[in-house]
Amino acid sequence: MAKSIYKSIYKSTVPVRDDRLNTTITYGGTASELVNLTTRKCLKAKDRAFSQTTFCQEWLAIFTLATIKDAVVITHAPVGCTSSLPFINIFSRFGQILRGEIPSNVKWISTNLAHVEAIHGGEDKLKEAILETDKRHNPNAIFVFSSCVSGIIGEDIDAIIKRVQGEVSAKVIPVYCDGFKSKVWASGYDGSFQGALNHLIKKPKKRRNDLVNVINPLTVGRLDEVEIERLLAKLKLKANFIPNFTTTEAIGKSSEAALTTSMCPTFSEYFAKSLEERFQVPYTQKIMPVGLDNTDRWLREIGKLLGKEDEVETVIKAERERVEPQIEELKEKVAGKRAFVSAGQSRAVGIPNLLADLGMDIVGVTAYHYDEVIFESFADLEKRCGNFCINIANVQPFEQTNILNKEQPDFYFGHVGESIWAAKQGFPTAMIYNLSVIFAGYNGVISFGSRILNLLNNPSFSKKLAEHSKPIYRESWLNENPFKYHKGEN
Amino acid sequence: MSNIIEAPRFSCALGGALNTVTAIEGLVPIIHAGPGCGVQLFTDRALPEVLEGPGGLGE
């Protein structure tokens, strides 16, 4: 039998998701066609003849580990590859404030590779960076992130770390996230978690029956965590939120937990599976607990794995009784409104479910990528919401603008960078990564529902913005097939 | 040899070039680079720097 990749403890690298999960980033059509192709296993990986700029693995890898309190980030890269860190730092500071902490900056160091190192190798600079980091910050862990440049010149980061490890007190951990290796940026999560799994997580000395690992990306806010904590507490369970705003010690203890679950299965996919294979921690990560039905299912999965089925049913019944009258009120106002959602694949299933709870019609969904992580939940969504337009795109605003122009939704829900495109077209928008709104659990439906009500009551920001904005694309493109630049056939 | 840098809050030459080009209305840059250079540099200059030079492209 082939060795499972989740057990590849001696390797620092993980195969990219394109190869491991057959992730696709290019599809345009209807949801039922996509489900049909998936069920018949006929979905082929396609590409774009024209693509707008997008994220790389390194961005997401740093995003995964930057907020760990006792660790420092070193990017073995040209200085431009740390450009995202001032932004991630803002996320981190907001997160600390929401957790009642005094905000402090993310600590990051760039080896600042230049053309000389691209020719002669950057070993000396990486060594210097590790020694300096240890001296200046005395952290428990130092994460060394690779980049396109260090990948192309074939820098052996593992060997360099081995040579310098004896001279520093921090654990130095390589994270392989060479950007050019994959257009599926979620592969960067795997590189980060592989580093944590290989170097931070130890064999458990004991099992803690009350501890549940909840693997959340930085885009899941503190308010969502509070809701998850509240629901787990009703089942007498304690949440161990990793990897953000935590310590290397808490990550190390994740092998002692009774269960691993996640707010974002796309984020936790590799980590949860690896924890099970290496340390026998069972996991459930079928769906995102967003929307009533999904939260029910999420709780039931946890109940099933921990033998708490009866308690779960009691919680579901009580929670539903509590929130349903309020949801009915919201429903009266927003039901029948047409919504378009753009998000990462797990949220692209979660948020439409939440909107469907409020009686809204889903006219279109953009998912940043599509693979086995959501096959099942996406098919369920298609059954529930009917045949909507689906675009699998690693952020391609030109396709989205075209689709929005054709679908003319009442509301648009997307990421901060994309929402502005829709707003300039005049569609009222709400950001679905808003850290001041709850999305998770039962309270999430009410919290986000109220946000939608604001949009309904006063959509004038987008309307005015559209009146004063020049059209972004020519009329000729808006009349074209939005998927004109997809290469390959299904 | 250039030095290592702690907490740099600037970017590379490509970042500067993109910043200039996108600030001019009607110009569209074609980035001949790795898959993530565009967003990496966009998140630097556009988001923390309060949409400095986002231009007419709707970024």
Side-chain angles (χ1 to χ4, degrees), chain B residues 4-22:
Chain B
I4 62 162
I5 311 174
E6 172 149 6
R9 282 174 165 78
F10 59 96
S11 62
C12 52
L14 177 61
L18 279 176
N19 212 348
T20 309
V21 171
T22 49

Side-chain angles (χ1 to χ4, degrees), chain A residues 84 108 110 125 136-137 470, chain B residues 2 5-7 25 40 57:
Chain A
S84 61
W108 78 94
S110 167
K125 280 178 111 176
R136 287 185 197 179
H137 300 293
K470 269 197 242 165
Chain B
S2 52
I5 311 174
E6 172 149 6
E25 212 173 309
Q40 184 78 254
L57 296 177

Side-chain angles (χ1 to χ4, degrees), chain A residues 53-56 58-59 80-84 87 89 108-110 112 117 125 129 136-137 179 420-421 424 470, chain B residues 1-12 25 31 35-41 43-44 47-48 57-59:
Chain A
T53 189
T54 167
F55 290 85
C56 61
E58 193 211 36
W59 206 111
C81 296
T82 44
S83 294
S84 61
F87 173 60
N89 192 30
W108 78 94
I109 284 176
S110 167
N112 187 18
E117 290 83 38
K125 280 178 111 176
R136 287 185 197 179
H137 300 293
I420 188 62
W421 294 76
K424 280 189 174 181
K470 269 197 242 165
Chain B
M1 190 174 85
S2 52
N3 292 324
I4 62 162
I5 311 174
E6 172 149 6
R9 282 174 165 78
F10 59 96
S11 62
C12 52
E25 212 173 309
I31 306 170
C37 293
V39 167
Q40 184 78 254
L41 297 165
T43 43
D44 168 47
L47 299 169
L57 296 177
E59 282 181 344

